[in-house]
């Protein structure tokens, strides 16, 4: 067979022409101009990827392929990198070529446990027909307003104690923004002595060592759930070589938790002053505040008050403060996953060691704190460690902010002595049970904290008191069940949440939560298989999500066997 002989020079030219043709999707000039207009003079940095995605999502109600390609080109990133981040977070709607974009307005119906007990499923069933095809109605994980159950979010506007009529009215009137009001602003905070303590610290009137000792003696522990002693954490990070950074977690995604939002909506500068005092004591250069995307009103408050604070700085050489917006991912409540998200990546937990205090944000030593922990700094330093430790019950010390929801008459954030029991909390702080309901069970630490029967109503609610019973306090998200509820249904609700929120990084969590959900949705539970699965998830999951996800299921088996056998309560 005759073969065509191609001169070497021609072969080289052919290869060269092929190499000159760029691979992958080409940038649409119109899309590039649209993206550039949205970004304006924002720095083109990789860590700002999620902020850029929010700008596009807010403007166009979705993330089209043409815009993602243009954004990748603008940030000088691989298209795959941009896509993997955009597709990781719940609040980004990635629309591939040939797919239809979602409606401009999305209505999210919270289906967490408290909202489910208050009728969320009925709303999910009825609202699509009432609102029509021009509105997208979807279920949503906890939106941090459990005391207002059931909650529906129209665009960015939360509708408390939602009914079909109130949701329909909000849609028809175009009320889709959360307009906050009533918080103590910068001027009001100054009138109440605000930032005076910070100024005394910076001026040398109060020294660093006395601050560290007061924090340590107060016994204040991290109030995001882990409970690490705050003063000790300050000293550890201070001893690391600078530059040091701070990352503040206001993701608050644990179902049943809403304390941070409540305090932020009322007195944001108390938190900001505590933040700046911690930064001064530890030697922090830059501060990053990570706020969950569901808290649109809180973002408006912080944006305004940070601007007022920086325009009237109480001290010279204030650290740089950046407010970062989450995008709907429970896993970003885990400190290292939050740091990954701040860096513009998928929110996946890091393997440890090294720990965040040593190698954290941008590979620098990082002081990571929950909002409420910093909220208490001013009071503790002004009133003294003894003031804080003078509170407490049942052998415990300090104060705790309990987020109480469910079948109580007066749900909400209850500031109570650490160590209060669930019965004391219900009777003294919540006005008792709702009419027609009898106390049956409770979740002491949100979805991951386990479930206990009402007969175990005398356990102090604090760090380290619940572990012997297979539970923990976490962020003190207390959900109360009545005789009209079942622990089995509560366990199914929480496991659906975990299966949906697993980041997928490790097999024990990714597969384990899905398998556990399949097993417990059956009328009869395979108890030996569930026990094996639970042990594997606890032993081999990378982070607390997979390690704690079995808690409600294990508690049902341990404390509510009558629900599995069909006998009476």
């Amino acid at each position: 067979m005759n073969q065509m002989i191609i001169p070497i020079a021609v072969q080289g030219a052919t290869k060269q022409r092929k190499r000159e043709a760029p691979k992958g999707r080409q940038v649409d000039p119109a899309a590039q101009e649209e993206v550039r207009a949205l970004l304006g003079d924002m720095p083109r940095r990789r860590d700002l990827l999620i902020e850029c995605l929010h700008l596009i999502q807010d403007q166009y109600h979705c993330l089209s392929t043409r815009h993602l390609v243009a954004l990748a080109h603008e940030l000088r990133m691989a298209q795959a990198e941009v896509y993997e981040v955009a597709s990781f977070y719940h609040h980004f709607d990635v629309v591939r070529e040939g797919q239809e974009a979602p409606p401009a307005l999305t209505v999210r119906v919270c289906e967490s446990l408290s909202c489910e007990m208050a009728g969320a499923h009925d709303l999910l069933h009825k609202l699509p027909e009432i609102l029509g095809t021009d509105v997208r109605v979807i279920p949503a994980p906890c939106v941090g307003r459990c005391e207002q159950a059931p909650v529906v979010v129209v665009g960015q506007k939360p509708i408390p104690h939602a009914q079909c009529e109130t949701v329909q009215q909000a849609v028809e009137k175009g009320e889709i923004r959360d307009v906050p009001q009533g918080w103590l602003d910068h001027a009001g905070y100054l009138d109440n002595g605000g930032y005076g303590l910070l100024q005394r610290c910076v001026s040398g009137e109060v020294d660093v060592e006395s601050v560290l000792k007061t924090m340590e003696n107060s016994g204040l522990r991290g109030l995001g759930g882990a409970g690490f002693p705050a003063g000790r954490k300050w000293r550890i990070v201070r001893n690391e070589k600078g530059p040091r950074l701070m990352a503040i977690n206001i993701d608050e995604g644990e179902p049943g938790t809403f304390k941070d939002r409540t305090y932020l909506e009322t007195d944001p500068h108390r938190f900001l002053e505590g933040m700046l005092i911690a930064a001064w004591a530890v030697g922090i250069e830059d501060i990053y505040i990570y706020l969950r995307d569901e808290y649109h009103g809180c973002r408006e408050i912080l944006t305004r008050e940070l601007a007022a604070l920086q325009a009237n700085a109480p001290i010279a050489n204030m650290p740089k403060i950046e407010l970062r917006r989450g995008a709907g991912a429970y896993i970003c409540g885990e400190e290292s996953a939050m740091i990954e998200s701040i860096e513009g990546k998928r929110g996946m937990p890091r393997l440890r060691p090294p720990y965040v205090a040593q190698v954290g944000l941008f590979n620098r030593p990082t002081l990571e704190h929950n909002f409420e922990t910093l909220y208490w700094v001013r009071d503790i330093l002004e009133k003294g460690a003894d003031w804080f430790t003078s509170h407490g019950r049942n052998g415990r010390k300090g104060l705790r902010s309990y987020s109480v929801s469910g079948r109580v008459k007066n749900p909400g954030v209850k500031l109570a002595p650490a160590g209060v029991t669930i019965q004391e909390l219900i009777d003294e702080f919540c006005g008792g049970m709702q009419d027609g309901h009898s106390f049956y069970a409770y979740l002491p630490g949100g979805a991951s904290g386990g479930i206990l029967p009402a007969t175990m109503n005398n356990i102090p609610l604090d760090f380290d008191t619940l572990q012997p019973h297979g539970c923990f306090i976490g962020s003190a998200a207390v959900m109360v069940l009545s005789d009209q509820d079942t622990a089995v249904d509560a366990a199914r609700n929480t496991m659906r949440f975990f299966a949906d929120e697993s980041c997928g990084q490790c097999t024990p969590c990714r597969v384990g939560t899905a398998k556990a959900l399949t097993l417990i949705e059956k009328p009869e539970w395979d108890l030996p298989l569930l026990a094996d699965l639970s042990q594997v998830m606890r032993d081999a999951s990378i982070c607390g999500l997979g390690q704690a996800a079995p808690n409600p299921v294990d508690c049902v088996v341990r404390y509510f066997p009558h629900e599995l056998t069909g006998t009476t309560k």
Side-chain angles (χ1 to χ4, degrees), residues 122-199:
D122 189 47
L123 291 170
L124 271 171
H125 176 71
K126 293 179 179 178
L127 283 175
E129 183 177 353
I130 293 172
L131 300 180
T133 57
D134 292 336
V135 177
R136 179 175 61 161
V137 179
I138 60 174
C142 184
V143 296
R145 295 180 177 273
C146 312
E147 84 281 23
Q148 303 168 4
V151 179
V152 173
V153 181
V154 178
Q156 296 181 351
K157 180 181 176 63
I159 309 296
H161 309 295
Q163 299 177 348
C164 290
E165 295 77 11
T166 55
V167 175
Q168 185 179 16
Q169 288 171 6
V171 171
E172 291 175 349
K173 293 179 180 179
E175 297 175 348
I176 60 173
R177 297 285 184 268
D178 188 6
V179 182
Q181 54 187 349
W183 73 90
L184 187 64
D185 64 8
H186 182 258
Y189 187 71
L190 291 179
D191 290 341
N192 286 275
Y195 295 107
L197 175 59
L198 172 65
Q199 291 169 338

Side-chain angles (χ1 to χ4, degrees), residues 285-303:
E285 292 195 5
D286 299 331
I287 300 172
Y288 294 81
I289 302 174
Y290 189 84
L291 178 68
R292 70 180 307 202
D293 194 35
E294 289 85 349
Y295 288 174
H296 302 287
C298 291
R299 188 168 64 253
E300 175 69 19
I301 291 172
L302 275 178
T303 300

Side-chain angles (χ1 to χ4, degrees), residues 23-45:
K23 296 180 179 180
R25 293 185 173 89
Q26 303 305 300
V27 178
D28 180 341
Q32 188 170 16
E33 287 303 313
E34 291 167 351
V35 168
R36 284 177 176 171
L38 284 175
L39 269 55
D41 58 0
M42 176 188 291
R44 272 43 171 184
R45 300 200 319 255

Side-chain angles (χ1 to χ4, degrees), residues 2-121:
N2 293 329
Q3 294 182 340
M4 181 180 294
I5 299 176
I6 302 176
I8 294 176
V10 176
Q11 291 178 3
T14 303
K15 291 180 179 179
Q16 181 65 30
R17 283 196 297 273
K18 288 181 179 179
R19 283 197 295 268
E20 288 173 352
K23 296 180 179 180
R25 293 185 173 89
Q26 303 305 300
V27 178
D28 180 341
Q32 188 170 16
E33 287 303 313
E34 291 167 351
V35 168
R36 284 177 176 171
L38 284 175
L39 269 55
D41 58 0
M42 176 188 291
R44 272 43 171 184
R45 300 200 319 255
R46 196 234 187 275
D47 64 289
L48 293 173
L49 171 59
I50 293 174
E51 300 297 315
C52 296
L53 291 171
H54 274 303
L55 290 174
I56 300 172
Q57 175 76 37
D58 290 346
Q59 178 68 26
Y60 297 101
H61 312 296
C62 66
L63 300 175
S64 64
T65 300
R66 56 193 291 271
H67 284 139
L68 291 178
V69 170
L71 180 60
H73 183 268
E74 194 70 13
L75 297 181
R76 298 186 178 182
M77 294 176 59
Q79 295 176 19
E81 287 183 283
V82 173
Y83 178 83
E84 73 175 6
V85 173
S87 59
F88 179 84
Y89 295 92
H90 294 314
H91 290 184
F92 293 141
D93 294 306
V94 177
V95 178
R96 301 177 181 86
E97 291 179 356
Q99 285 186 326
E100 187 175 340
L105 180 61
T106 295
V107 171
R108 289 181 167 85
V109 181
C110 179
E111 60 174 357
S112 66
L113 181 56
S114 296
C115 285
E116 181 183 83
M117 291 191 295
H121 285 174

Side-chain angles (χ1 to χ4, degrees), residues 149-340:
V151 179
V152 173
V153 181
V154 178
Q156 296 181 351
K157 180 181 176 63
I159 309 296
H161 309 295
Q163 299 177 348
C164 290
E165 295 77 11
T166 55
V167 175
Q168 185 179 16
Q169 288 171 6
V171 171
E172 291 175 349
K173 293 179 180 179
E175 297 175 348
I176 60 173
R177 297 285 184 268
D178 188 6
V179 182
Q181 54 187 349
W183 73 90
L184 187 64
D185 64 8
H186 182 258
Y189 187 71
L190 291 179
D191 290 341
N192 286 275
Y195 295 107
L197 175 59
L198 172 65
Q199 291 169 338
R200 293 195 296 275
C201 290
V202 174
S203 69
E205 184 179 339
V206 179
D207 64 275
V208 171
E209 185 59 30
S210 68
V211 166
L212 293 176
K213 285 184 177 179
T214 300
M215 292 298 297
E216 289 171 335
N217 293 337
S218 72
L220 179 68
R221 296 171 64 169
L223 298 174
F228 192 87
R232 190 194 309 171
K233 182 183 286 190
W234 290 18
R235 198 177 290 278
I236 289 171
V237 179
R238 179 180 170 83
N239 289 334
E240 293 291 327
K241 183 179 178 181
R244 309 174 196 90
L245 306 177
M246 182 188 291
I248 299 168
N249 192 335
I250 322 181
D251 192 63
E252 196 172 44
E254 180 71 26
T257 310
F258 47 90
K259 59 184 178 61
D260 293 352
R261 172 188 60 79
T262 301
Y263 289 138
L264 181 50
E265 289 175 339
T266 54
D267 196 357
H269 284 277
R270 187 168 298 272
F271 147 69
L272 292 174
E273 184 168 12
M275 173 189 79
L276 290 172
I277 291 171
W280 162 80
V282 177
I284 299 296
E285 292 195 5
D286 299 331
I287 300 172
Y288 294 81
I289 302 174
Y290 189 84
L291 178 68
R292 70 180 307 202
D293 194 35
E294 289 85 349
Y295 288 174
H296 302 287
C298 291
R299 188 168 64 253
E300 175 69 19
I301 291 172
L302 275 178
T303 300
R304 292 188 195 181
E305 298 309 317
L306 282 172
L309 178 64
Q310 290 163 339
N312 301 275
I315 57 173
N317 302 317
M318 273 213 319
K320 182 186 73 174
I321 304 170
E322 288 197 26
L323 177 60
R324 293 297 181 88
R325 181 178 173 184
Y330 167 72
I331 191 62
C332 289
E334 196 275 341
E335 62 176 7
S336 65
M338 176 191 68
I339 284 172
E340 290 285 295

